[in-house]
Amino acid sequence: QVQLVESGGGMVQAGDSLRLSCAASGPTFSVYAVGWFRQAPGKEREFVAAISISGGNTAYADSVKGRFTISRDNAKNTVYLQMNTLKPEDTAVYYCAARGTLYSGRLYYSTNEYVYWGQGTQVTVSS
């Protein structure tokens, strides 16, 4: 079983940057694909970014493409989400999620494809 803990959220102004971290505990994190999702008040949880088990493949929602970067350090059991040029519409609770996979390049995009979830970290961007 993998346990995920997000950190790095906070309150910033539009145009600022934040780096979220998702620290995993449990065996063999390097065989888990990871995704970041976010949920704003009154809205459904939405896909933000995903990374394959090797880190060689990544994907982003159109709304964050060019501003956010997902990466992972399997030696540290940690996945990061670097968020630049933040906008007020990025305000949400950000969650990381993980699932085991046998496919090194596979990415997962929907909430129901993930098995393990963190508790979330709040990001608030003021204009």
Side-chain angles (χ1 to χ4, degrees), residues 22-50:
C22 173
S25 61
T28 326
F29 180 64
S30 60
V31 299
Y32 288 83
V34 176
W36 282 98
F37 292 78
R38 66 187 182 187
Q39 188 166 18
K43 295 188 177 181
E44 292 187 354
R45 194 168 297 189
E46 65 175 5
F47 169 78
V48 175

mmCIF file of all heavy atoms in Angstrom, residues 22-50:
data_model
loop_
_atom_site.group_PDB
_atom_site.id
_atom_site.type_symbol
_atom_site.label_atom_id
_atom_site.label_comp_id
_atom_site.label_asym_id
_atom_site.label_seq_id
_atom_site.Cartn_x
_atom_site.Cartn_y
_atom_site.Cartn_z
ATOM 1 N N CYS A 22 4.824 15.610 -3.632
ATOM 2 C CA CYS A 22 4.020 14.455 -3.263
ATOM 3 C C CYS A 22 4.987 13.373 -2.811
ATOM 4 O O CYS A 22 5.673 12.768 -3.640
ATOM 5 C CB CYS A 22 3.186 13.989 -4.447
ATOM 6 S SG CYS A 22 2.298 12.444 -4.173
ATOM 7 N N ALA A 23 5.061 13.181 -1.503
ATOM 8 C CA ALA A 23 5.986 12.199 -0.945
ATOM 9 C C ALA A 23 5.261 10.883 -0.715
ATOM 10 O O ALA A 23 4.172 10.864 -0.130
ATOM 11 C CB ALA A 23 6.565 12.713 0.362
ATOM 12 N N ALA A 24 5.868 9.816 -1.170
ATOM 13 C CA ALA A 24 5.238 8.501 -1.070
ATOM 14 C C ALA A 24 5.987 7.603 -0.100
ATOM 15 O O ALA A 24 7.221 7.624 -0.036
ATOM 16 C CB ALA A 24 5.195 7.836 -2.438
ATOM 17 N N SER A 25 5.236 6.859 0.641
ATOM 18 C CA SER A 25 5.825 5.830 1.494
ATOM 19 C C SER A 25 5.251 4.500 1.071
ATOM 20 O O SER A 25 4.135 4.428 0.556
ATOM 21 C CB SER A 25 5.515 6.089 2.965
ATOM 22 O OG SER A 25 4.123 6.066 3.184
ATOM 23 N N GLY A 26 6.019 3.460 1.258
ATOM 24 C CA GLY A 26 5.571 2.159 0.815
ATOM 25 C C GLY A 26 6.555 1.585 -0.182
ATOM 26 O O GLY A 26 7.489 2.260 -0.613
ATOM 27 N N PRO A 27 6.306 0.370 -0.560
ATOM 28 C CA PRO A 27 7.289 -0.314 -1.392
ATOM 29 C C PRO A 27 7.248 0.114 -2.852
ATOM 30 O O PRO A 27 6.215 0.427 -3.392
ATOM 31 C CB PRO A 27 6.879 -1.791 -1.242
ATOM 32 C CG PRO A 27 5.412 -1.735 -1.013
ATOM 33 C CD PRO A 27 5.173 -0.481 -0.208
ATOM 34 N N THR A 28 8.400 0.102 -3.452
ATOM 35 C CA THR A 28 8.549 0.150 -4.910
ATOM 36 C C THR A 28 7.773 1.292 -5.563
ATOM 37 O O THR A 28 6.978 1.082 -6.480
ATOM 38 C CB THR A 28 8.110 -1.193 -5.524
ATOM 39 O OG1 THR A 28 8.427 -2.266 -4.664
ATOM 40 C CG2 THR A 28 8.857 -1.403 -6.840
ATOM 41 N N PHE A 29 8.008 2.488 -5.127
ATOM 42 C CA PHE A 29 7.326 3.649 -5.700
ATOM 43 C C PHE A 29 7.631 3.793 -7.181
ATOM 44 O O PHE A 29 6.826 4.328 -7.936
ATOM 45 C CB PHE A 29 7.755 4.913 -4.953
ATOM 46 C CG PHE A 29 7.117 6.162 -5.469
ATOM 47 C CD1 PHE A 29 5.754 6.338 -5.376
ATOM 48 C CD2 PHE A 29 7.875 7.172 -6.040
ATOM 49 C CE1 PHE A 29 5.147 7.494 -5.836
ATOM 50 C CE2 PHE A 29 7.286 8.329 -6.502
ATOM 51 C CZ PHE A 29 5.931 8.494 -6.404
ATOM 52 N N SER A 30 8.754 3.282 -7.616
ATOM 53 C CA SER A 30 9.156 3.448 -9.018
ATOM 54 C C SER A 30 8.274 2.681 -9.991
ATOM 55 O O SER A 30 8.410 2.856 -11.201
ATOM 56 C CB SER A 30 10.612 3.030 -9.200
ATOM 57 O OG SER A 30 10.771 1.673 -8.828
ATOM 58 N N VAL A 31 7.366 1.850 -9.501
ATOM 59 C CA VAL A 31 6.433 1.174 -10.416
ATOM 60 C C VAL A 31 5.042 1.783 -10.349
ATOM 61 O O VAL A 31 4.073 1.191 -10.818
ATOM 62 C CB VAL A 31 6.355 -0.347 -10.145
ATOM 63 C CG1 VAL A 31 7.724 -0.973 -10.352
ATOM 64 C CG2 VAL A 31 5.786 -0.636 -8.780
ATOM 65 N N TYR A 32 4.955 2.973 -9.789
ATOM 66 C CA TYR A 32 3.673 3.661 -9.688
ATOM 67 C C TYR A 32 3.644 4.870 -10.614
ATOM 68 O O TYR A 32 4.502 5.756 -10.530
ATOM 69 C CB TYR A 32 3.403 4.113 -8.253
ATOM 70 C CG TYR A 32 3.067 2.974 -7.326
ATOM 71 C CD1 TYR A 32 4.072 2.211 -6.747
ATOM 72 C CD2 TYR A 32 1.744 2.642 -7.061
ATOM 73 C CE1 TYR A 32 3.766 1.145 -5.914
ATOM 74 C CE2 TYR A 32 1.432 1.585 -6.219
ATOM 75 C CZ TYR A 32 2.445 0.849 -5.658
ATOM 76 O OH TYR A 32 2.141 -0.209 -4.841
ATOM 77 N N ALA A 33 2.658 4.900 -11.500
ATOM 78 C CA ALA A 33 2.392 6.111 -12.258
ATOM 79 C C ALA A 33 1.682 7.102 -11.332
ATOM 80 O O ALA A 33 0.918 6.702 -10.448
ATOM 81 C CB ALA A 33 1.521 5.808 -13.471
ATOM 82 N N VAL A 34 1.946 8.376 -11.548
ATOM 83 C CA VAL A 34 1.422 9.406 -10.641
ATOM 84 C C VAL A 34 0.726 10.500 -11.429
ATOM 85 O O VAL A 34 1.130 10.847 -12.543
ATOM 86 C CB VAL A 34 2.568 10.003 -9.805
ATOM 87 C CG1 VAL A 34 2.061 11.142 -8.929
ATOM 88 C CG2 VAL A 34 3.206 8.924 -8.929
ATOM 89 N N GLY A 35 -0.302 11.028 -10.848
ATOM 90 C CA GLY A 35 -1.004 12.158 -11.429
ATOM 91 C C GLY A 35 -1.281 13.226 -10.394
ATOM 92 O O GLY A 35 -1.326 12.949 -9.191
ATOM 93 N N TRP A 36 -1.438 14.435 -10.871
ATOM 94 C CA TRP A 36 -1.910 15.549 -10.038
ATOM 95 C C TRP A 36 -3.304 15.941 -10.531
ATOM 96 O O TRP A 36 -3.540 16.041 -11.741
ATOM 97 C CB TRP A 36 -0.989 16.758 -10.147
ATOM 98 C CG TRP A 36 0.275 16.649 -9.365
ATOM 99 C CD1 TRP A 36 1.507 16.272 -9.825
ATOM 100 C CD2 TRP A 36 0.458 16.941 -7.977
ATOM 101 N NE1 TRP A 36 2.435 16.307 -8.820
ATOM 102 C CE2 TRP A 36 1.814 16.724 -7.663
ATOM 103 C CE3 TRP A 36 -0.388 17.379 -6.953
ATOM 104 C CZ2 TRP A 36 2.342 16.910 -6.388
ATOM 105 C CZ3 TRP A 36 0.131 17.568 -5.683
ATOM 106 C CH2 TRP A 36 1.480 17.332 -5.413
ATOM 107 N N PHE A 37 -4.175 16.167 -9.592
ATOM 108 C CA PHE A 37 -5.529 16.618 -9.870
ATOM 109 C C PHE A 37 -5.809 17.826 -8.987
ATOM 110 O O PHE A 37 -5.089 18.077 -8.014
ATOM 111 C CB PHE A 37 -6.547 15.508 -9.566
ATOM 112 C CG PHE A 37 -6.459 14.337 -10.497
ATOM 113 C CD1 PHE A 37 -5.467 13.379 -10.351
ATOM 114 C CD2 PHE A 37 -7.368 14.190 -11.523
ATOM 115 C CE1 PHE A 37 -5.372 12.304 -11.215
ATOM 116 C CE2 PHE A 37 -7.297 13.113 -12.396
ATOM 117 C CZ PHE A 37 -6.291 12.172 -12.236
ATOM 118 N N ARG A 38 -6.858 18.556 -9.315
ATOM 119 C CA ARG A 38 -7.251 19.673 -8.459
ATOM 120 C C ARG A 38 -8.758 19.770 -8.421
ATOM 121 O O ARG A 38 -9.457 19.349 -9.349
ATOM 122 C CB ARG A 38 -6.635 20.984 -8.950
ATOM 123 C CG ARG A 38 -7.135 21.465 -10.304
ATOM 124 C CD ARG A 38 -6.328 22.686 -10.754
ATOM 125 N NE ARG A 38 -6.811 23.208 -12.016
ATOM 126 C CZ ARG A 38 -6.201 24.188 -12.687
ATOM 127 N NH1 ARG A 38 -5.092 24.752 -12.194
ATOM 128 N NH2 ARG A 38 -6.710 24.616 -13.829
ATOM 129 N N GLN A 39 -9.227 20.358 -7.325
ATOM 130 C CA GLN A 39 -10.661 20.526 -7.147
ATOM 131 C C GLN A 39 -10.936 21.884 -6.531
ATOM 132 O O GLN A 39 -10.493 22.171 -5.415
ATOM 133 C CB GLN A 39 -11.233 19.411 -6.270
ATOM 134 C CG GLN A 39 -12.738 19.401 -6.200
ATOM 135 C CD GLN A 39 -13.282 18.115 -5.613
ATOM 136 O OE1 GLN A 39 -12.570 17.353 -4.945
ATOM 137 N NE2 GLN A 39 -14.542 17.837 -5.863
ATOM 138 N N ALA A 40 -11.648 22.702 -7.285
ATOM 139 C CA ALA A 40 -12.070 24.012 -6.806
ATOM 140 C C ALA A 40 -13.441 23.884 -6.148
ATOM 141 O O ALA A 40 -14.187 22.934 -6.445
ATOM 142 C CB ALA A 40 -12.119 25.001 -7.963
ATOM 143 N N PRO A 41 -13.800 24.815 -5.270
ATOM 144 C CA PRO A 41 -15.096 24.739 -4.601
ATOM 145 C C PRO A 41 -16.244 24.665 -5.597
ATOM 146 O O PRO A 41 -16.308 25.444 -6.555
ATOM 147 C CB PRO A 41 -15.147 26.032 -3.794
ATOM 148 C CG PRO A 41 -13.726 26.385 -3.561
ATOM 149 C CD PRO A 41 -12.990 25.950 -4.794
ATOM 150 N N GLY A 42 -17.120 23.709 -5.401
ATOM 151 C CA GLY A 42 -18.280 23.558 -6.254
ATOM 152 C C GLY A 42 -18.016 22.922 -7.597
ATOM 153 O O GLY A 42 -18.925 22.825 -8.435
ATOM 154 N N LYS A 43 -16.790 22.481 -7.817
ATOM 155 C CA LYS A 43 -16.447 21.869 -9.099
ATOM 156 C C LYS A 43 -15.955 20.447 -8.907
ATOM 157 O O LYS A 43 -15.561 20.053 -7.811
ATOM 158 C CB LYS A 43 -15.374 22.697 -9.807
ATOM 159 C CG LYS A 43 -15.840 24.088 -10.213
ATOM 160 C CD LYS A 43 -14.801 24.780 -11.072
ATOM 161 C CE LYS A 43 -15.292 26.126 -11.546
ATOM 162 N NZ LYS A 43 -14.294 26.812 -12.416
ATOM 163 N N GLU A 44 -15.965 19.692 -9.991
ATOM 164 C CA GLU A 44 -15.461 18.336 -9.938
ATOM 165 C C GLU A 44 -13.937 18.332 -9.931
ATOM 166 O O GLU A 44 -13.287 19.274 -10.394
ATOM 167 C CB GLU A 44 -15.972 17.548 -11.148
ATOM 168 C CG GLU A 44 -17.467 17.299 -11.130
ATOM 169 C CD GLU A 44 -17.910 16.377 -12.241
ATOM 170 O OE1 GLU A 44 -17.076 16.022 -13.094
ATOM 171 O OE2 GLU A 44 -19.094 16.000 -12.244
ATOM 172 N N ARG A 45 -13.391 17.247 -9.414
ATOM 173 C CA ARG A 45 -11.950 17.092 -9.440
ATOM 174 C C ARG A 45 -11.497 16.933 -10.893
ATOM 175 O O ARG A 45 -12.083 16.147 -11.638
ATOM 176 C CB ARG A 45 -11.547 15.873 -8.608
ATOM 177 C CG ARG A 45 -10.083 15.786 -8.288
ATOM 178 C CD ARG A 45 -9.811 14.724 -7.229
ATOM 179 N NE ARG A 45 -10.456 15.040 -5.952
ATOM 180 C CZ ARG A 45 -10.251 14.377 -4.832
ATOM 181 N NH1 ARG A 45 -9.394 13.351 -4.824
ATOM 182 N NH2 ARG A 45 -10.896 14.710 -3.721
ATOM 183 N N GLU A 46 -10.456 17.654 -11.267
ATOM 184 C CA GLU A 46 -10.018 17.632 -12.650
ATOM 185 C C GLU A 46 -8.541 17.283 -12.774
ATOM 186 O O GLU A 46 -7.738 17.575 -11.889
ATOM 187 C CB GLU A 46 -10.271 18.984 -13.336
ATOM 188 C CG GLU A 46 -9.477 20.140 -12.776
ATOM 189 C CD GLU A 46 -9.680 21.426 -13.559
ATOM 190 O OE1 GLU A 46 -10.495 21.462 -14.486
ATOM 191 O OE2 GLU A 46 -8.990 22.415 -13.241
ATOM 192 N N PHE A 47 -8.218 16.680 -13.884
ATOM 193 C CA PHE A 47 -6.852 16.286 -14.198
ATOM 194 C C PHE A 47 -5.982 17.521 -14.417
ATOM 195 O O PHE A 47 -6.401 18.484 -15.067
ATOM 196 C CB PHE A 47 -6.863 15.425 -15.462
ATOM 197 C CG PHE A 47 -5.508 15.160 -16.038
ATOM 198 C CD1 PHE A 47 -4.681 14.209 -15.475
ATOM 199 C CD2 PHE A 47 -5.055 15.868 -17.138
ATOM 200 C CE1 PHE A 47 -3.426 13.961 -16.000
ATOM 201 C CE2 PHE A 47 -3.804 15.629 -17.684
ATOM 202 C CZ PHE A 47 -2.980 14.668 -17.116
ATOM 203 N N VAL A 48 -4.777 17.477 -13.883
ATOM 204 C CA VAL A 48 -3.813 18.549 -14.076
ATOM 205 C C VAL A 48 -2.593 18.046 -14.854
ATOM 206 O O VAL A 48 -2.212 18.633 -15.862
ATOM 207 C CB VAL A 48 -3.358 19.136 -12.725
ATOM 208 C CG1 VAL A 48 -2.251 20.173 -12.935
ATOM 209 C CG2 VAL A 48 -4.531 19.745 -11.987
ATOM 210 N N ALA A 49 -1.980 16.971 -14.362
ATOM 211 C CA ALA A 49 -0.755 16.474 -14.987
ATOM 212 C C ALA A 49 -0.542 15.020 -14.598
ATOM 213 O O ALA A 49 -1.054 14.563 -13.574
ATOM 214 C CB ALA A 49 0.450 17.308 -14.573
ATOM 215 N N ALA A 50 0.221 14.315 -15.420
ATOM 216 C CA ALA A 50 0.535 12.917 -15.144
ATOM 217 C C ALA A 50 1.969 12.626 -15.560
ATOM 218 O O ALA A 50 2.510 13.275 -16.460
ATOM 219 C CB ALA A 50 -0.422 11.986 -15.883
#
